[in-house]
Amino acid sequence: MSTAGGEGPQELRHTRPEILAAAAALASLKGLAQLSMGELASAVGMSKSGLYAHFASKEALQLATIEYGGQVFEAHVLRDSSGGPEGGLSALLERWLAFYERRMFPGACFFIVAAVEFASRAGAVRDALEQHVDQEIAALETAVRGATESGETRRSNDAAQTAFELHAILMNTHALFQLKDDPVVFDQARTAIDNLLG
C-alpha cells in the first residue's frame, strides 16, 4: 500500500527498467497511444503518484518506453551473441527474424504498431519512432555494404535500396505472422531474402 507521502515500500522495489519492461509489454498489446499511467500502475503494483515520480507525463513515459524498446531491439538484433556489432548480413537478418518469431514482446512489435498510431501526429513521440526506424534501415544498409565488400552477397548496385527492400520484407513478415500465426512466413521470408540478395 502506498503511504501518504508517496511511494510505499513495495513500490520502491520497482526499478525503472522493470517499469519500462511492463510498459513495453502493454504497448505491444494495446498500442503506445493507449498506454496509460493508470493501467501501467496496476500492472506493476504501484500507485499513479509512484509512477509520476519516474515519469512527469504520459509523453515522457511513451518516450522512455521507445528508448527501452530500442535497447531491447539492439541487444537482440543488432548485436551478435558475443555482444559485438552485427557479425554479417545473414546473421543480422536471422536474429531479426528470430526476434519476431520468438515474440520478444508479448504482442506485436510495438514499434510497428506505434509507427501506424503516430504517423499523422506531429511531436516528440512521432520523431522518436521515426528515428528508430531510420536506425533500423541504416543498420541494414551498413550490413549490406559490408556483405558486398566481403562477397557475402552478389547484389552490389545500391545498398540503400537493398536495405529498404530487406526492411520491407521484415516488416511484412512480422505483420503476416501476427495475422496468421503461422511460422511458415519465416521460411517464405528467407526465400524472399535469398532471391533479393542473390
Side-chain angles (χ1 to χ4, degrees):
M1 180 179 295
S2 196
T3 65
E7 293 180 82
Q10 181 179 359
E11 293 182 328
L12 291 174
R13 291 200 294 268
H14 289 288
T15 65
R16 184 180 173 91
E18 289 172 337
I19 295 168
L20 288 173
L26 286 172
S28 77
L29 292 165
K30 295 177 174 290
L32 190 61
Q34 300 304 313
L35 180 62
S36 71
M37 298 291 251
E39 188 172 18
L40 179 58
S42 296
V44 297
M46 294 179 68
S47 64
K48 287 178 68 174
S49 62
L51 273 186
Y52 277 111
H54 291 276
F55 312 102
S57 65
K58 179 176 178 176
E59 182 179 83
L61 171 62
Q62 290 170 331
L63 291 170
T65 303
I66 292 169
E67 181 180 6
Y68 172 84
Q71 292 169 351
V72 172
F73 183 83
E74 180 176 358
H76 288 276
V77 178
L78 301 185
R79 300 287 173 177
D80 64 21
S81 59
S82 67
E86 291 118 14
L89 178 59
S90 296
L92 171 64
L93 293 170
E94 276 300 317
R95 290 195 301 274
W96 207 310
L97 291 171
F99 184 80
Y100 294 149
E101 190 169 16
R102 296 200 310 265
R103 301 183 192 271
M104 297 304 298
F105 298 109
C109 176
F110 79 86
F111 284 113
I112 298 174
V113 176
V116 174
E117 288 180 300
F118 286 89
S120 60
R121 304 184 190 188
V125 175
R126 183 191 181 281
D127 291 347
L129 290 165
E130 183 179 5
Q131 182 179 24
H132 175 79
V133 172
D134 287 346
Q135 289 171 344
E136 288 185 356
I137 296 174
L140 285 168
E141 185 174 346
T142 298
V144 169
R145 292 186 192 282
T148 301
E149 293 170 2
S150 68
E152 184 182 350
T153 177
R154 295 192 296 275
R155 180 164 180 174
S156 58
N157 55 337
D158 189 337
Q161 179 63 29
T162 301
F164 176 87
E165 292 175 25
L166 287 171
H167 195 258
I169 291 171
L170 292 163
M171 297 302 98
N172 189 57
T173 300
H174 176 271
L176 287 174
F177 184 53
Q178 291 299 315
L179 180 65
K180 298 164 69 73
D181 195 24
D182 186 348
V184 74
V185 299
F186 294 103
D187 294 331
Q188 293 171 323
R190 291 181 180 96
T191 298
I193 289 168
D194 287 345
N195 290 340
L196 174 64
L197 297 178

